[in-house]
Amino acid sequence: MKTKSVIAAGAVLALAVAGCGSSGGGGGGEGAGQTISFLTHWGPDQVKALKAAAAAFEKSNPGISVDIRAVPFGNLLSTLRTQGASPNGPTIASVYDLWLPELVKDGLAAPAPADVAKELSGNWPANLVEGVTKQGAPRGYPNEVDLYALNYNKKLFAEAGVAEPPKTWDELVATAAKLTKRDGGKVTQQGFGVITSWPAGVVHPWLSLVNSNGGALLDGGTPKLDDPKVKAATDLYARLVKEGSTQPPMSNANANTTGPYLDNFVNGKTGMIIMANWWQSSLKDAMGDRYQDVAVAPIPTGPGGTGPASVSYSWLTVVNGKAAPARQEAAWKFLTYLNGSTSGKNGSSAMGDILTSMGILPSRTGDLKAHEAQLSDPFLAAYVKELANAKPFPAVLGGEAMSQAVQKHLENVVFGKETPEQAMSAAQQEVADILTKASK
């Protein structure tokens, strides 16, 4: 979710109506003369870049033309669902991976052909390919990848006499206490900030702590919210709030991270947060010269964990399984080009060039290498280093409702409406019901 989360987070596209050909080679074939309509919510600069990539593709595939169309993000998924079965409906769509199970169930995300599956296994990290694999087959190309890490203010650390970021939960609690400032009975600077009012922003940082404590949200399709390793992360939140190191009124945010959560970190009133890579541009824009005070570290490891294991999620480009076979074949052909090493600059794919221009981490290994200089920025480099340790957010039928249920109970803990035990017990039952109903 940059969806900017939705995740930021994000880089979302949809492609409609495809043409012909195989995964490699030139134009012609049984689908020659077809038009591929690429539907995207991206802005003018990104649309211009997509048009340039499409024009280059058309030169070597004269039987296929590509029409780029832009719509508001809110119309993306509904367009795919309502028009997917029509003859001229979307043939390709780039979607948030949490939507994938529903799209597979509805026949709107076709399995990748063997050559595409081979390309994915050879050129993308295994954990990201796993994240887009459903019912035994990859369902598209991972494009944008987002993951979480600890962001902290080096200036506030120095003022508090803290030499380095916390590596464990105990160190996190101790450091948060040192960073917390009070004016009489009022906290004027919180040591550790959390997000409320935005599902992914609430759940993903907390789940990164769960993962780093050896826990998991799901075991296959079974919720594990009542597992002691999961509850421990909720206990950690409750402790930070009780000790005053986390201030609930400073937590509100939305998917664009506008609101108190961003403002307090930007203005030096929050010492540490757990946040995704895509919000770097927001920090730069808001902080100006003070951005140099921002640093990034791995998620602190809990007592039950063996190391950092943050949450990751991605946006992937899928092919509509309800499209005619010739159009599906042409769609994979275009996606192979768009995500291949010959379509961009210096070994990058065209998609990698576009994503990197937006400040987003591309997920293709070759793209990361091609943009190594740009991604060596200390902020982004810390996230790139943690990619191999990240665990994809579980994309299951009912995933969005599951996330919203967990959000509600975590917020209840933050605002003192439930104890951690009450919250996790209730969430366990609600999530189990949600997943059972979704699977029917």
Side-chain angles (χ1 to χ4, degrees):
M1 18 143 157
K2 264 169 185 162
T3 40
K4 257 187 175 189
S5 130
V6 293
I7 78 249
V12 187
L13 351 146
L15 200 98
V17 201
C20 74
S22 63
S23 296
E30 66 176 291
Q34 301 286 346
T35 296
I36 298 174
S37 176
F38 202 132
L39 186 66
T40 176
H41 85 296
W42 283 353
D45 290 343
Q46 288 72 49
V47 168
K48 183 178 179 180
L50 282 172
K51 287 182 176 179
F57 172 77
E58 290 171 345
K59 285 184 178 180
S60 58
N61 297 272
I64 305 173
S65 60
V66 183
D67 178 29
I68 308 298
R69 303 173 185 173
V71 298
F73 166 71
N75 295 350
L76 178 63
L77 183 58
S78 61
T79 298
L80 177 59
R81 282 179 164 163
T82 58
Q83 299 181 15
S86 67
N88 292 323
T91 307
I92 303 176
S94 181
V95 300
Y96 177 34
D97 59 7
L98 196 58
W99 300 343
L100 184 57
E102 297 283 350
L103 296 177
V104 171
K105 181 180 179 181
D106 295 339
L108 294 171
D115 57 340
V116 172
K118 182 177 180 180
E119 181 186 359
L120 289 170
S121 65
N123 295 292
W124 271 262
N127 57 344
L128 297 184
V129 177
E130 177 187 354
V132 302
T133 297
K134 299 296 174 187
Q135 297 180 6
R139 297 287 167 162
Y141 282 89
N143 296 134
E144 167 187 353
V145 59
D146 298 282
L147 68 158
Y148 287 77
L150 185 75
N151 292 188
Y152 64 99
N153 188 310
K154 293 184 293 184
K155 181 180 179 182
L156 300 186
F157 267 53
E159 291 174 354
V162 180
E164 58 184 20
K167 295 181 176 64
T168 68
W169 286 11
D170 285 343
E171 291 178 3
L172 176 66
V173 171
T175 300
K178 292 178 181 179
L179 291 168
T180 300
K181 293 182 179 179
R182 293 174 171 82
D183 183 2
K186 181 181 179 181
V187 172
T188 57
Q189 177 180 302
Q190 65 175 347
F192 181 79
V194 300
I195 291 176
T196 58
S197 303
W198 160 32
V202 174
V203 177
H204 288 182
W206 166 83
L207 186 56
S208 293
L209 289 166
V210 169
N211 291 345
S212 299
N213 192 40
L217 179 55
L218 299 179
D219 180 5
T222 303
K224 302 293 291 183
L225 289 150
D226 55 358
D227 186 313
K229 290 184 177 181
V230 177
K231 180 179 171 293
T234 313
D235 288 333
L236 176 64
Y237 270 27
R239 179 180 177 183
L240 289 166
V241 171
K242 182 179 180 179
E243 295 181 0
S245 298
T246 295
Q247 293 292 302
M250 301 172 77
S251 64
N252 187 269
N254 59 26
N256 292 318
T257 59
T258 56
Y261 179 78
L262 172 65
D263 295 341
N264 286 307
F265 187 79
V266 164
N267 294 319
K269 295 181 180 180
T270 298
M272 298 179 289
I273 57 174
I274 293 175
M275 191 52 190
N277 52 280
W278 56 259
W279 92 317
Q280 182 193 39
S281 59
S282 296
L283 292 179
K284 284 184 173 180
D285 291 344
M287 297 183 77
D289 292 342
R290 289 177 293 135
Y291 171 75
Q292 65 184 355
D293 295 329
V294 179
V296 181
I299 302 293
T301 303
T306 58
S310 74
V311 166
S312 68
Y313 62 91
S314 63
W315 294 87
L316 67 149
T317 316
V318 301
V319 172
N320 183 358
K322 293 186 177 181
R327 289 184 171 181
Q328 291 189 44
E329 188 178 5
W332 289 115
K333 181 176 185 178
F334 179 73
L335 289 181
T336 299
Y337 170 81
L338 191 65
N339 292 278
S341 61
T342 62
S343 61
K345 300 176 181 177
N346 302 318
S348 172
S349 68
M351 179 62 78
D353 286 343
I354 294 170
L355 293 175
T356 306
S357 75
M358 298 166 69
I360 298 171
L361 292 182
S363 62
R364 180 176 169 271
T365 304
D367 292 343
L368 291 170
K369 183 176 181 180
H371 293 281
E372 186 173 8
Q374 187 173 349
L375 296 175
S376 65
D377 165 276
F379 186 97
L380 293 178
Y383 285 96
V384 173
K385 186 177 180 180
E386 291 302 307
L387 273 173
N389 300 321
K391 295 184 177 181
F393 187 84
V396 294
L397 290 170
E400 287 189 274
M402 172 183 70
S403 185
Q404 291 165 1
V406 175
Q407 171 203 2
K408 176 182 67 177
H409 291 290
L410 287 175
E411 289 180 345
N412 284 345
V413 170
V414 169
F415 289 103
K417 297 179 181 179
E418 290 181 315
T419 66
E421 184 175 356
Q422 290 169 336
M424 293 297 95
S425 177
Q428 171 73 10
Q429 185 59 55
E430 288 181 29
V431 170
D433 292 344
I434 287 168
L435 299 182
T436 297
K437 291 177 181 177
S439 63
K440 293 180 178 179

